[in-house]
């Protein structure tokens, strides 16, 4: 789904850039309300994990592969505003360092992969939680469906953007049919990865999952024939017992990301992803341009001058995870500090 330079004309790319910039500005303010001392470290890790898993293309049809987009996963784990920032950090690192996704198309990619997937998935997720039983299992089920829907939604968004600013004369009907069809299949993989990851975190630290907050069902009592909520029980003294410490969870997540990007990625499918396949088959890529970062030492997810493909790709993946977790953590810790400053005694009215 990473749109290269040349697929979309300059005016449309500029408009999507403005849309993306506006959404990022709103997300920066919104994330300050979502991030606290528990979720700020997790947000940087989520960005790094999405980067790592996006290197793992999985086969979905003959000659076609797919990979995680990550909007649903990030929204459920750390909140929708923070999720937009997480995916945007990943896209920026990929475009600048790895020549993956055009720089002039960065606004298109943020709009499509960060904004659309997050908004659609979180709306579906919240809608499902409103009708499902208030249990942890419902979070996993809702995560699966939300992620599944988010991928074809992104395909629809790309089709609409292409209809407005596509640089080649290709039938929009053919583009829509091909894009939505293949991305429904990719959505299944997205749903499985998202549900497994969310389920794993919920199992050990449900308090760290943004989408699982407030799921404990209130006790109801029958009074004069009517059911009413029982008074909230007083908080138990001392810290709440948890299965896994935040530090252990963070280290486990980081090691997992490094292993996925540094080792498992070598065995990922080499077939083109959904957009690449459709672009080649339908002629959308006729005016594709050379990436501005094509000369980067890490272009195409390999380290320049290292001939061994396994070592080159693995080292590039490890570097990518490291850079992404540092960049993401810096952004989210800064936002958390801004939130702390805003609610400090010196600024009680802000």
């Amino acid at each position: 789904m990473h749109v290269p330079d040349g697929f979309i004309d300059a005016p449309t790319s500029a408009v999507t850039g403005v849309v993306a910039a506006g959404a990022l500005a709103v997300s920066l303010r919104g994330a300050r309300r979502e991030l606290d001392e528990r979720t700020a470290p997790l947000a940087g890790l989520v960005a790094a994990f999405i980067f790592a898993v996006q290197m793992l293309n999985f086969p979905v049809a003959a000659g076609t592969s797919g990979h995680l987009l990550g909007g649903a996963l990030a929204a459920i784990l750390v909140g929708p505003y923070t999720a937009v920032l997480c995916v945007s950090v990943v896209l920026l690192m990929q475009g600048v360092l790895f020549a993956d996704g055009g720089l002039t198309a960065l606004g298109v990619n943020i709009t499509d992969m960060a904004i659309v997937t997050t908004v659609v998935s979180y709306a579906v997720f919240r809608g499902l939680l409103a009708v499902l039983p208030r249990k942890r299992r419902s979070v996993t089920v809702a995560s699966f469906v939300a992620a599944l829907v988010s991928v074809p939604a992104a395909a629809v968004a790309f089709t609409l953007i292409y209809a407005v600013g596509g640089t080649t004369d290709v039938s929009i009907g053919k583009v829509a049919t091909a894009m939505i069809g293949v991305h429904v299949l990719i959505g299944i993989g997205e749903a499985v990865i998202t549900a497994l990851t969310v389920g794993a975190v919920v199992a050990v630290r449900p308090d760290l999952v943004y989408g699982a907050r407030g799921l404990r069902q209130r006790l109801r009592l029958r009074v004069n024939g009517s059911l009413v909520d029982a008074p909230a029980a007083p908080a138990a003294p001392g810290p709440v017992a948890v299965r896994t410490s935040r530090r252990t969870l963070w280290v486990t997540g980081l090691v997992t990301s490094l292993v996925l990007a540094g080792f498992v990625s070598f065995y990922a499918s080499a077939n083109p992803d959904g957009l690449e396949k459709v672009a080649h088959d339908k002629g959308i890529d006729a005016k594709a341009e050379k990436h501005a970062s094509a000369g980067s030492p890490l272009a195409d997810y390999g380290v320049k001058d290292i001939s061994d493909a396994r070592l080159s790709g693995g080292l590039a993946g490890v570097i990518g995870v490291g850079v992404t977790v540092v960049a993401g953590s810096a952004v989210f810790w800064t936002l958390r500090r801004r939130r702390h400053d805003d609610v400090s005694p010196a600024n009680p009215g802000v």
Side-chain angles (χ1 to χ4, degrees):
M1 192 65 75
H2 293 75
V3 179
D5 295 317
F7 276 28
I8 306 298
D9 62 26
T12 306
S13 296
V15 170
T16 57
V18 172
V19 171
L24 290 175
V26 172
S27 297
L28 285 168
R29 293 184 63 86
R32 287 162 62 182
R33 298 191 298 270
E34 294 173 345
L35 294 169
D36 54 28
E37 69 280 356
R38 298 176 302 165
T39 55
L42 183 62
L45 178 61
V46 168
F49 183 77
I50 290 173
F51 175 92
V53 180
Q54 283 195 2
M55 294 183 66
L56 308 181
N57 281 47
F58 49 84
V60 294
T64 310
S65 69
H67 62 70
L68 182 80
L69 297 185
L73 175 62
I76 294 164
L77 288 179
V78 293
Y81 293 108
T82 307
V84 171
L85 300 178
C86 281
V87 180
S88 297
V89 167
V90 173
L91 292 172
L92 181 61
M93 296 298 104
Q94 290 171 331
V96 172
L97 298 179
F98 298 91
D100 188 10
L103 296 183
T104 62
L106 186 59
V108 175
N109 286 319
I110 290 177
T111 299
D112 196 21
M113 295 178 64
I115 301 171
V116 171
T117 59
T118 298
V119 171
V120 170
S121 64
Y122 199 68
V124 172
F125 177 78
R126 279 299 170 195
L128 289 173
L129 283 189
V131 298
L132 291 173
R134 296 174 63 83
K135 298 179 180 179
R136 293 177 184 175
R137 183 177 301 176
S138 298
V139 175
T140 304
V141 172
S143 300
F144 183 94
V145 178
L148 176 64
V149 173
S150 71
V151 179
V156 171
F158 169 79
T159 303
L160 294 174
I161 293 172
Y162 186 81
V164 174
T167 56
T168 55
D169 187 16
V170 180
S171 167
I172 298 304
K174 292 181 179 179
V175 173
T177 300
M179 283 292 292
I180 297 172
V182 72
H183 283 90
V184 167
L185 299 177
I186 294 173
I188 297 174
E190 178 103 10
V192 171
I193 295 170
T194 300
L196 288 176
T197 305
V198 171
V201 180
V202 166
V204 296
R205 287 301 298 263
D207 59 308
L208 296 182
V209 178
Y210 186 88
R213 295 179 179 178
L215 275 187
R216 179 177 296 177
Q217 193 162 6
R218 291 285 299 275
L219 176 66
R220 308 197 77 192
L221 303 176
R222 186 173 296 278
V223 178
N224 298 327
S226 301
L227 288 175
V228 297
D229 289 335
V240 178
V242 294
R243 298 184 186 181
T244 305
S245 69
R246 280 182 288 167
R247 177 176 296 180
T248 299
L249 179 64
W250 195 91
V251 171
T252 301
L254 181 60
V255 171
T256 301
S257 300
L258 291 170
V259 170
L260 292 176
F263 177 73
V264 180
S265 62
F266 181 77
Y267 301 97
S269 174
N271 291 329
D273 66 23
L275 176 59
E276 292 172 332
K277 178 66 172 175
V278 172
H280 176 73
D281 291 348
K282 304 302 179 183
I284 296 174
D285 59 357
K287 295 186 179 181
E289 300 173 1
K290 184 178 179 180
H291 200 287
S293 298
S296 167
L298 299 172
D300 298 322
Y301 297 94
V303 178
K304 188 177 181 181
D305 297 330
I306 295 182
S307 57
D308 185 278
R310 185 191 297 261
L311 178 60
S312 177
L315 185 56
V318 168
I319 293 172
V321 168
V323 172
T324 303
V325 75
V326 169
S329 297
V331 170
F332 300 125
W333 274 110
T334 300
L335 290 174
R336 177 184 173 272
R337 288 177 63 87
R338 289 288 301 276
R339 169 183 171 169
H340 181 269
D341 293 343
D342 286 348
V343 299
S344 65
N347 300 287
V350 178

